[in-house]
Amino acid sequence: MTVNSQPTTPSVVKALSFYSPQLHRQWRYRVYLPTNYQRLKASGTHFASIYMLHGLYGDETNLTTQADSKAYLDRLIKQTGIPVVAIFPDGGNSFYLNNASSNMESAIVDDLIPKTTATYQLAGQSKRAIGGISMGGYGAARLIFRHPHLFSTGALISPAIWQQVPATVQTNTQIPAFKVNGAFSQRTFEQDQPSRNLPNYLKRVKTPAHFYIETTAKDTTVPVADVNRFVQQLRAQHIQPVYQVDHFGNHNWSYWQHALPLAYRDIFQQFKS
């Protein structure tokens, strides 16, 4: 079939899975494909990509059901003319870490990104962004700093970059992160802090990733002071994030439905430049 004979197709969100060697199981994800994806792919387009990570107690469906990522992306593609593929993996309650429970970090780096890059004809680092909400914002920051060759842009919404992990998270047996032999370890938590990887990251990159960070001063789950501290750590290393502090909403979907379109818009601006 020639490029011109490819049918015009609407954008779509598909629910899929593939076998992950790192996780030793079928791994679910959702993918957003833009309008006329097959036609563009046949014409040789290498698509910009956004990997979006959900929060605690969520799964791969959250960002397309609790928030209408499809509508947000449709609108931005129409405005900018930049066709983008978005990937929404199921991260469980992993904080996107490697631990005794699962190798989620390695699964993203070694399985998900290579698999989706090949399957969907995605472009490389300069057109690859990662973002997330709450736990997903934590995971996005940490993955950027630990894997300097992968991402050019990060979008962190209400990122769970705590100074002190809430007791409800420390004691929850369904959350394997920061635990040693089943018990919360402050030392492990501190070792896993995204900013711990910042000095080594800066030694390994010519141009640091661009960051968009948004939270609300009214967040009762992740204090704004904790996010401020992370932003200060970036600024101290001459990384100047776009930082938006709102004064409404809380750590919930009604707030994130406001914040997500702004985060996507910032990512598209980076792809454009």
Side-chain angles (χ1 to χ4, degrees):
M1 193 180 272
T2 65
V3 172
N4 289 336
S5 65
Q6 290 277 358
T8 58
T9 51
S11 65
V12 65
V13 173
K14 294 184 172 185
L16 299 166
S17 70
F18 71 99
Y19 181 79
S20 162
Q22 288 289 347
L23 298 177
H24 310 292
R25 60 175 170 84
Q26 283 293 121
W27 187 14
R28 297 189 312 272
Y29 70 98
R30 286 194 168 188
V31 59
Y32 164 90
L33 300 175
T35 301
N36 294 331
Y37 167 75
Q38 288 295 350
R39 177 178 280 196
L40 290 164
K41 187 180 182 186
S43 73
T45 299
H46 282 77
F47 298 87
S49 61
I50 306 173
Y51 291 80
M52 286 300 287
L53 309 180
H54 64 77
L56 203 54
Y57 314 120
D59 61 26
E60 77 283 2
T61 68
N62 284 174
L63 287 142
T64 55
T65 55
Q66 305 270 23
D68 196 352
S69 284
K70 181 179 179 296
Y72 307 151
L73 294 167
D74 284 348
R75 193 159 56 239
L76 284 161
I77 290 170
K78 196 171 181 182
Q79 287 169 2
T80 63
I82 301 169
V84 165
V85 169
I87 313 285
F88 307 91
D90 176 22
N93 292 332
S94 65
F95 276 81
Y96 305 95
L97 299 165
N98 287 347
N99 54 38
S101 240
S102 76
N103 286 340
M104 188 56 69
E105 177 184 352
S106 294
I108 289 170
V109 173
D110 298 335
D111 298 345
L112 182 69
I113 291 174
K115 168 77 173 175
T116 51
T117 298
T119 301
Y120 302 110
Q121 202 164 286
L122 306 181
Q125 177 178 16
S126 67
K127 292 283 192 284
R128 186 189 294 126
I130 188 167
I133 285 171
S134 190
M135 175 186 82
Y138 169 100
R142 194 170 174 280
L143 284 160
I144 288 169
F145 293 151
R146 284 177 57 78
H147 303 279
H149 61 292
L150 285 181
F151 306 102
S152 61
T153 299
L156 319 182
I157 300 169
S158 308
I161 301 177
W162 288 298
Q163 290 309 300
Q164 187 63 45
V165 179
T168 51
V169 173
Q170 291 188 28
T171 57
N172 189 326
T173 56
Q174 302 302 308
I175 302 171
F178 321 126
K179 304 258 175 46
V180 175
N181 299 324
F184 175 78
S185 161
Q186 181 67 21
R187 183 163 175 264
T188 299
F189 166 68
E190 287 169 6
Q191 285 174 338
D192 283 336
Q193 281 280 37
S195 54
R196 285 285 295 248
N197 300 285
L198 191 47
N200 192 42
Y201 171 75
L202 291 166
K203 285 179 194 163
R204 295 168 66 193
V205 290
K206 284 184 184 169
T207 307
H210 165 85
F211 279 89
Y212 176 87
I213 303 171
E214 184 171 6
T215 194
T216 171
K218 307 226 178 233
D219 195 316
T220 54
T221 300
V222 180
V224 69
D226 291 0
V227 185
N228 287 341
R229 186 166 187 269
F230 177 73
V231 169
Q232 287 160 5
Q233 289 169 329
L234 294 183
R235 288 175 176 159
Q237 300 291 346
H238 309 291
I239 297 173
Q240 298 297 336
V242 174
Y243 185 34
Q244 170 74 27
V245 179
D246 298 313
H247 294 274
F248 56 86
N250 203 329
H251 202 83
N252 55 34
W253 281 104
S254 59
Y255 173 67
W256 298 329
Q257 286 162 359
H258 158 82
L260 249 180
L262 303 177
Y264 284 133
R265 186 177 70 189
D266 189 86
I267 291 170
F268 272 77
Q269 286 169 347
Q270 295 307 306
F271 288 159
K272 205 167 186 179
S273 61

